[in-house]
mmCIF file with all atom_site columns, all heavy atoms in Angstrom:
data_model
loop_
_atom_site.group_PDB
_atom_site.id
_atom_site.type_symbol
_atom_site.label_atom_id
_atom_site.label_alt_id
_atom_site.label_comp_id
_atom_site.label_asym_id
_atom_site.label_entity_id
_atom_site.label_seq_id
_atom_site.pdbx_PDB_ins_code
_atom_site.Cartn_x
_atom_site.Cartn_y
_atom_site.Cartn_z
_atom_site.occupancy
_atom_site.B_iso_or_equiv
_atom_site.pdbx_formal_charge
_atom_site.auth_seq_id
_atom_site.auth_comp_id
_atom_site.auth_asym_id
_atom_site.auth_atom_id
_atom_site.pdbx_PDB_model_num
ATOM 1   N N   . GLU A 1 35 ? 2.182   6.898  5.299  1.00 90.00 ? 250 GLU A N   1
ATOM 2   C CA  . GLU A 1 35 ? 0.801   7.235  4.916  1.00 90.00 ? 250 GLU A CA  1
ATOM 3   C C   . GLU A 1 35 ? 0.328   6.376  3.746  1.00 90.00 ? 250 GLU A C   1
ATOM 4   O O   . GLU A 1 35 ? -0.836  5.975  3.696  1.00 90.00 ? 250 GLU A O   1
ATOM 5   C CB  . GLU A 1 35 ? 0.687   8.726  4.592  1.00 90.00 ? 250 GLU A CB  1
ATOM 6   C CG  . GLU A 1 35 ? 0.925   9.632  5.790  1.00 90.00 ? 250 GLU A CG  1
ATOM 7   C CD  . GLU A 1 35 ? 0.029   9.308  6.985  1.00 90.00 ? 250 GLU A CD  1
ATOM 8   O OE1 . GLU A 1 35 ? -1.184  9.125  6.796  1.00 90.00 ? 250 GLU A OE1 1
ATOM 9   O OE2 . GLU A 1 35 ? 0.558   9.232  8.107  1.00 90.00 ? 250 GLU A OE2 1
ATOM 10  N N   . ALA A 1 36 ? 1.213   6.078  2.816  1.00 92.00 ? 251 ALA A N   1
ATOM 11  C CA  . ALA A 1 36 ? 0.827   5.210  1.694  1.00 92.00 ? 251 ALA A CA  1
ATOM 12  C C   . ALA A 1 36 ? 0.459   3.819  2.202  1.00 92.00 ? 251 ALA A C   1
ATOM 13  O O   . ALA A 1 36 ? -0.521  3.222  1.746  1.00 92.00 ? 251 ALA A O   1
ATOM 14  C CB  . ALA A 1 36 ? 1.969   5.119  0.682  1.00 92.00 ? 251 ALA A CB  1
ATOM 15  N N   . ALA A 1 37 ? 1.226   3.292  3.145  1.00 91.00 ? 252 ALA A N   1
ATOM 16  C CA  . ALA A 1 37 ? 0.909   1.980  3.719  1.00 91.00 ? 252 ALA A CA  1
ATOM 17  C C   . ALA A 1 37 ? -0.416  2.037  4.477  1.00 91.00 ? 252 ALA A C   1
ATOM 18  O O   . ALA A 1 37 ? -1.231  1.105  4.387  1.00 91.00 ? 252 ALA A O   1
ATOM 19  C CB  . ALA A 1 37 ? 2.035   1.513  4.628  1.00 91.00 ? 252 ALA A CB  1
ATOM 20  N N   . LYS A 1 38 ? -0.663  3.111  5.200  1.00 93.00 ? 253 LYS A N   1
ATOM 21  C CA  . LYS A 1 38 ? -1.941  3.254  5.910  1.00 93.00 ? 253 LYS A CA  1
ATOM 22  C C   . LYS A 1 38 ? -3.110  3.309  4.932  1.00 93.00 ? 253 LYS A C   1
ATOM 23  O O   . LYS A 1 38 ? -4.205  2.850  5.244  1.00 93.00 ? 253 LYS A O   1
ATOM 24  C CB  . LYS A 1 38 ? -1.930  4.521  6.761  1.00 93.00 ? 253 LYS A CB  1
ATOM 25  C CG  . LYS A 1 38 ? -1.076  4.448  7.992  1.00 93.00 ? 253 LYS A CG  1
ATOM 26  C CD  . LYS A 1 38 ? -1.370  5.695  8.802  1.00 93.00 ? 253 LYS A CD  1
ATOM 27  C CE  . LYS A 1 38 ? -0.249  6.227  9.582  1.00 93.00 ? 253 LYS A CE  1
ATOM 28  N NZ  . LYS A 1 38 ? -0.573  7.501  10.229 1.00 93.00 ? 253 LYS A NZ  1
ATOM 29  N N   . SER A 1 39 ? -2.868  3.866  3.746  1.00 96.00 ? 254 SER A N   1
ATOM 30  C CA  . SER A 1 39 ? -3.951  3.961  2.761  1.00 96.00 ? 254 SER A CA  1
ATOM 31  C C   . SER A 1 39 ? -4.435  2.581  2.328  1.00 96.00 ? 254 SER A C   1
ATOM 32  O O   . SER A 1 39 ? -5.609  2.391  2.012  1.00 96.00 ? 254 SER A O   1
ATOM 33  C CB  . SER A 1 39 ? -3.511  4.785  1.551  1.00 96.00 ? 254 SER A CB  1
ATOM 34  O OG  . SER A 1 39 ? -2.623  4.066  0.701  1.00 96.00 ? 254 SER A OG  1
ATOM 35  N N   . ILE A 1 40 ? -3.525  1.605  2.323  1.00 97.00 ? 255 ILE A N   1
ATOM 36  C CA  . ILE A 1 40 ? -3.895  0.235  1.949  1.00 97.00 ? 255 ILE A CA  1
ATOM 37  C C   . ILE A 1 40 ? -4.814  -0.357 3.009  1.00 97.00 ? 255 ILE A C   1
ATOM 38  O O   . ILE A 1 40 ? -5.860  -0.943 2.697  1.00 97.00 ? 255 ILE A O   1
ATOM 39  C CB  . ILE A 1 40 ? -2.634  -0.624 1.748  1.00 97.00 ? 255 ILE A CB  1
ATOM 40  C CG1 . ILE A 1 40 ? -1.810  -0.103 0.570  1.00 97.00 ? 255 ILE A CG1 1
ATOM 41  C CG2 . ILE A 1 40 ? -3.017  -2.093 1.557  1.00 97.00 ? 255 ILE A CG2 1
ATOM 42  C CD1 . ILE A 1 40 ? -0.399  -0.673 0.509  1.00 97.00 ? 255 ILE A CD1 1
ATOM 43  N N   . ALA A 1 41 ? -4.442  -0.198 4.278  1.00 96.00 ? 256 ALA A N   1
ATOM 44  C CA  . ALA A 1 41 ? -5.280  -0.703 5.364  1.00 96.00 ? 256 ALA A CA  1
ATOM 45  C C   . ALA A 1 41 ? -6.647  -0.020 5.340  1.00 96.00 ? 256 ALA A C   1
ATOM 46  O O   . ALA A 1 41 ? -7.682  -0.670 5.537  1.00 96.00 ? 256 ALA A O   1
ATOM 47  C CB  . ALA A 1 41 ? -4.589  -0.487 6.711  1.00 96.00 ? 256 ALA A CB  1
ATOM 48  N N   . ASP A 1 42 ? -6.654  1.270  5.070  1.00 97.00 ? 257 ASP A N   1
ATOM 49  C CA  . ASP A 1 42 ? -7.923  1.996  5.003  1.00 97.00 ? 257 ASP A CA  1
ATOM 50  C C   . ASP A 1 42 ? -8.817  1.434  3.901  1.00 97.00 ? 257 ASP A C   1
ATOM 51  O O   . ASP A 1 42 ? -10.026 1.250  4.106  1.00 97.00 ? 257 ASP A O   1
ATOM 52  C CB  . ASP A 1 42 ? -7.657  3.485  4.766  1.00 97.00 ? 257 ASP A CB  1
ATOM 53  C CG  . ASP A 1 42 ? -8.950  4.281  4.685  1.00 97.00 ? 257 ASP A CG  1
ATOM 54  O OD1 . ASP A 1 42 ? -9.581  4.492  5.740  1.00 97.00 ? 257 ASP A OD1 1
ATOM 55  O OD2 . ASP A 1 42 ? -9.324  4.664  3.554  1.00 97.00 ? 257 ASP A OD2 1
ATOM 56  N N   . LYS A 1 43 ? -8.248  1.149  2.747  1.00 97.00 ? 258 LYS A N   1
ATOM 57  C CA  . LYS A 1 43 ? -9.052  0.608  1.651  1.00 97.00 ? 258 LYS A CA  1
ATOM 58  C C   . LYS A 1 43 ? -9.597  -0.770 2.014  1.00 97.00 ? 258 LYS A C   1
ATOM 59  O O   . LYS A 1 43 ? -10.755 -1.080 1.723  1.00 97.00 ? 258 LYS A O   1
ATOM 60  C CB  . LYS A 1 43 ? -8.262  0.539  0.357  1.00 97.00 ? 258 LYS A CB  1
ATOM 61  C CG  . LYS A 1 43 ? -9.122  -0.022 -0.788 1.00 97.00 ? 258 LYS A CG  1
ATOM 62  C CD  . LYS A 1 43 ? -8.607  0.325  -2.133 1.00 97.00 ? 258 LYS A CD  1
ATOM 63  C CE  . LYS A 1 43 ? -8.953  1.765  -2.431 1.00 97.00 ? 258 LYS A CE  1
ATOM 64  N NZ  . LYS A 1 43 ? -8.447  2.191  -3.731 1.00 97.00 ? 258 LYS A NZ  1
ATOM 65  N N   . LEU A 1 44 ? -8.778  -1.605 2.635  1.00 98.00 ? 259 LEU A N   1
ATOM 66  C CA  . LEU A 1 44 ? -9.257  -2.925 3.059  1.00 98.00 ? 259 LEU A CA  1
ATOM 67  C C   . LEU A 1 44 ? -10.432 -2.786 4.028  1.00 98.00 ? 259 LEU A C   1
ATOM 68  O O   . LEU A 1 44 ? -11.434 -3.491 3.903  1.00 98.00 ? 259 LEU A O   1
ATOM 69  C CB  . LEU A 1 44 ? -8.129  -3.727 3.718  1.00 98.00 ? 259 LEU A CB  1
ATOM 70  C CG  . LEU A 1 44 ? -7.105  -4.342 2.776  1.00 98.00 ? 259 LEU A CG  1
ATOM 71  C CD1 . LEU A 1 44 ? -5.912  -4.870 3.567  1.00 98.00 ? 259 LEU A CD1 1
ATOM 72  C CD2 . LEU A 1 44 ? -7.726  -5.443 1.933  1.00 98.00 ? 259 LEU A CD2 1
ATOM 73  N N   . ARG A 1 45 ? -10.329 -1.875 4.981  1.00 98.00 ? 260 ARG A N   1
ATOM 74  C CA  . ARG A 1 45 ? -11.421 -1.667 5.937  1.00 98.00 ? 260 ARG A CA  1
ATOM 75  C C   . ARG A 1 45 ? -12.671 -1.126 5.246  1.00 98.00 ? 260 ARG A C   1
ATOM 76  O O   . ARG A 1 45 ? -13.783 -1.576 5.519  1.00 98.00 ? 260 ARG A O   1
ATOM 77  C CB  . ARG A 1 45 ? -10.981 -0.705 7.041  1.00 98.00 ? 260 ARG A CB  1
ATOM 78  C CG  . ARG A 1 45 ? -10.047 -1.305 8.038  1.00 98.00 ? 260 ARG A CG  1
ATOM 79  C CD  . ARG A 1 45 ? -9.822  -0.346 9.230  1.00 98.00 ? 260 ARG A CD  1
ATOM 80  N NE  . ARG A 1 45 ? -8.519  -0.600 9.766  1.00 98.00 ? 260 ARG A NE  1
ATOM 81  C CZ  . ARG A 1 45 ? -7.414  0.098  9.485  1.00 98.00 ? 260 ARG A CZ  1
ATOM 82  N NH1 . ARG A 1 45 ? -7.465  1.136  8.682  1.00 98.00 ? 260 ARG A NH1 1
ATOM 83  N NH2 . ARG A 1 45 ? -6.266  -0.236 10.014 1.00 98.00 ? 260 ARG A NH2 1
ATOM 84  N N   . THR A 1 46 ? -12.478 -0.181 4.362  1.00 97.00 ? 261 THR A N   1
ATOM 85  C CA  . THR A 1 46 ? -13.608 0.432  3.652  1.00 97.00 ? 261 THR A CA  1
ATOM 86  C C   . THR A 1 46 ? -14.352 -0.597 2.814  1.00 97.00 ? 261 THR A C   1
ATOM 87  O O   . THR A 1 46 ? -15.580 -0.641 2.802  1.00 97.00 ? 261 THR A O   1
ATOM 88  C CB  . THR A 1 46 ? -13.115 1.592  2.768  1.00 97.00 ? 261 THR A CB  1
ATOM 89  O OG1 . THR A 1 46 ? -12.515 2.582  3.605  1.00 97.00 ? 261 THR A OG1 1
ATOM 90  C CG2 . THR A 1 46 ? -14.248 2.207  1.978  1.00 97.00 ? 261 THR A CG2 1
ATOM 91  N N   . LYS A 1 47 ? -13.610 -1.442 2.120  1.00 98.00 ? 262 LYS A N   1
ATOM 92  C CA  . LYS A 1 47 ? -14.248 -2.413 1.229  1.00 98.00 ? 262 LYS A CA  1
ATOM 93  C C   . LYS A 1 47 ? -14.867 -3.595 1.969  1.00 98.00 ? 262 LYS A C   1
ATOM 94  O O   . LYS A 1 47 ? -15.743 -4.260 1.421  1.00 98.00 ? 262 LYS A O   1
ATOM 95  C CB  . LYS A 1 47 ? -13.239 -2.920 0.194  1.00 98.00 ? 262 LYS A CB  1
ATOM 96  C CG  . LYS A 1 47 ? -12.870 -1.845 -0.832 1.00 98.00 ? 262 LYS A CG  1
ATOM 97  C CD  . LYS A 1 47 ? -12.082 -2.401 -1.976 1.00 98.00 ? 262 LYS A CD  1
ATOM 98  C CE  . LYS A 1 47 ? -12.885 -3.276 -2.854 1.00 98.00 ? 262 LYS A CE  1
ATOM 99  N NZ  . LYS A 1 47 ? -13.315 -2.770 -4.129 1.00 98.00 ? 262 LYS A NZ  1
ATOM 100 N N   . THR A 1 48 ? -14.421 -3.867 3.194  1.00 98.00 ? 263 THR A N   1
ATOM 101 C CA  . THR A 1 48 ? -14.908 -5.057 3.899  1.00 98.00 ? 263 THR A CA  1
ATOM 102 C C   . THR A 1 48 ? -15.744 -4.752 5.136  1.00 98.00 ? 263 THR A C   1
ATOM 103 O O   . THR A 1 48 ? -16.455 -5.627 5.622  1.00 98.00 ? 263 THR A O   1
ATOM 104 C CB  . THR A 1 48 ? -13.725 -5.933 4.370  1.00 98.00 ? 263 THR A CB  1
ATOM 105 O OG1 . THR A 1 48 ? -12.937 -5.195 5.308  1.00 98.00 ? 263 THR A OG1 1
ATOM 106 C CG2 . THR A 1 48 ? -12.886 -6.389 3.190  1.00 98.00 ? 263 THR A CG2 1
ATOM 107 N N   . GLY A 1 49 ? -15.633 -3.551 5.680  1.00 98.00 ? 264 GLY A N   1
ATOM 108 C CA  . GLY A 1 49 ? -16.309 -3.238 6.936  1.00 98.00 ? 264 GLY A CA  1
ATOM 109 C C   . GLY A 1 49 ? -15.568 -3.767 8.159  1.00 98.00 ? 264 GLY A C   1
ATOM 110 O O   . GLY A 1 49 ? -16.044 -3.620 9.282  1.00 98.00 ? 264 GLY A O   1
ATOM 111 N N   . LEU A 1 50 ? -14.398 -4.355 7.959  1.00 98.00 ? 265 LEU A N   1
ATOM 112 C CA  . LEU A 1 50 ? -13.603 -4.858 9.072  1.00 98.00 ? 265 LEU A CA  1
ATOM 113 C C   . LEU A 1 50 ? -12.969 -3.697 9.831  1.00 98.00 ? 265 LEU A C   1
ATOM 114 O O   . LEU A 1 50 ? -12.811 -2.603 9.285  1.00 98.00 ? 265 LEU A O   1
ATOM 115 C CB  . LEU A 1 50 ? -12.506 -5.798 8.559  1.00 98.00 ? 265 LEU A CB  1
ATOM 116 C CG  . LEU A 1 50 ? -12.989 -7.102 7.907  1.00 98.00 ? 265 LEU A CG  1
ATOM 117 C CD1 . LEU A 1 50 ? -11.843 -7.780 7.160  1.00 98.00 ? 265 LEU A CD1 1
ATOM 118 C CD2 . LEU A 1 50 ? -13.580 -8.033 8.964  1.00 98.00 ? 265 LEU A CD2 1
ATOM 119 N N   . THR A 1 51 ? -12.592 -3.956 11.074 1.00 97.00 ? 266 THR A N   1
ATOM 120 C CA  . THR A 1 51 ? -11.951 -2.919 11.882 1.00 97.00 ? 266 THR A CA  1
ATOM 121 C C   . THR A 1 51 ? -10.557 -3.309 12.342 1.00 97.00 ? 266 THR A C   1
ATOM 122 O O   . THR A 1 51 ? -9.910  -2.547 13.052 1.00 97.00 ? 266 THR A O   1
ATOM 123 C CB  . THR A 1 51 ? -12.809 -2.589 13.121 1.00 97.00 ? 266 THR A CB  1
ATOM 124 O OG1 . THR A 1 51 ? -12.988 -3.788 13.887 1.00 97.00 ? 266 THR A OG1 1
ATOM 125 C CG2 . THR A 1 51 ? -14.166 -2.012 12.724 1.00 97.00 ? 266 THR A CG2 1
#
Side-chain angles (χ1 to χ4, degrees):
E250 294 306 314
K253 287 189 212 174
S254 75
I255 296 166
D257 180 74
K258 180 159 283 179
L259 283 169
R260 285 189 209 97
T261 299
K262 290 190 70 105
T263 63
L265 295 167
T266 58

